[in-house]
Amino acid sequence: MRVAIAGAGAVGRSIAGELLENGHEVLLVDKNPNAISVERVPTAEWLLADACEITSLDEAALQRCNVVIAATGDDKVNLVVSLLAKTEYGVPRVVARVNNPKNEWLFNEAWGVDVAVSTPRLMSALVEEAVSVGDLVRLMRFSQGNANLVELTLAEDTGLVGTRVGDVSWPVDTALVTIIREGRVLVPGRDDTLEGGDELLFVAAQEREEELGRLLSAGAQ
């Protein structure tokens, strides 16, 4: 898989390192000469250029990329890069970094963003996830399709404890994708039984989150 990363700062270099370790082809693009540190990620391609310029993206051959990651520290730049990647080059997957949570509402499919990653929101969500039982926590927003990755740790006194997954009337536009139980990751089947303490991960439409939360907390004391 070929991945272009706009922004060669600490975040961009860290992402590049992880992707390279997993066998992917990575191009780092940055207009700041001081950010071009080839020795830090020597197996990546590097391009000194402005990722907001069409000529730069032509040089980067963005049309050959499977994924573009807009990882600069400037939300305006990340939005422009995302829009150009999607509309001008037809990149299948665009991931954008949100630096200021107040700008998060802009990072959607209208700007070419498939997945928006807000570090402040993610950190607060992980804190909530660690301490919350019985409350639905939004971990990540997927711009395309208006869907979110949400989590809930099932309380011991919830009415769903002991119920088979296939017997639950889940809300429409909602999918239970994973059950984490005692450190194990389980792919849920219809005959699997829900247990107290299960960490449930769903992909759900945003408008279904409230309904899902009520269902999962039903019967709790």
Side-chain angles (χ1 to χ4, degrees), residues 52-68:
C52 292
E53 297 288 343
I54 289 289
T55 53
S56 300
L57 300 181
D58 284 344
E59 187 177 354
L62 224 64
Q63 70 277 3
R64 294 198 294 111
C65 292
N66 306 100
V67 180
V68 165

Side-chain angles (χ1 to χ4, degrees), residues 6 11-12 15 68-82 94-109 111-124 139-143 148:
V11 173
I15 296 169
V68 165
I69 302 173
T72 78
D74 188 324
D75 285 345
K76 296 188 294 296
V77 171
N78 291 343
L79 285 170
V80 171
V81 171
S82 299
V94 177
V95 180
R97 172 187 176 188
V98 184
N99 296 279
N100 186 342
K102 292 181 180 179
N103 296 331
E104 191 173 1
W105 66 277
L106 287 166
F107 286 73
N108 54 38
E109 59 185 352
W111 279 92
V113 179
D114 295 308
V115 179
V117 180
S118 171
T119 302
R121 177 179 290 279
L122 183 58
M123 291 181 68
S124 64
L139 298 178
M140 184 177 292
R141 178 173 61 85
F142 301 104
S143 300
N148 298 316

Side-chain angles (χ1 to χ4, degrees), residues 23 25 66 94 125 160-161 175 178 192 194 220:
E25 181 184 349
N66 306 100
V94 177
L160 289 180
V161 170
T178 303
D192 288 318
L194 298 173

Side-chain angles (χ1 to χ4, degrees), residues 128-137 151-158 196-198 217 220:
E128 289 185 69
E129 182 269 334
V131 300
S132 299
V133 174
D135 294 324
L136 202 66
V137 177
E151 181 273 348
L152 181 137
T153 300
L154 206 59
E156 298 285 350
D157 57 354
T158 300
D198 281 352
S217 61

Side-chain angles (χ1 to χ4, degrees), residues 176-191:
L176 173 61
V177 293
T178 303
I179 299 173
I180 300 176
R181 179 181 297 161
E182 297 178 349
R184 295 182 297 126
V185 177
L186 308 176
V187 178
R190 291 185 55 84
D191 294 329

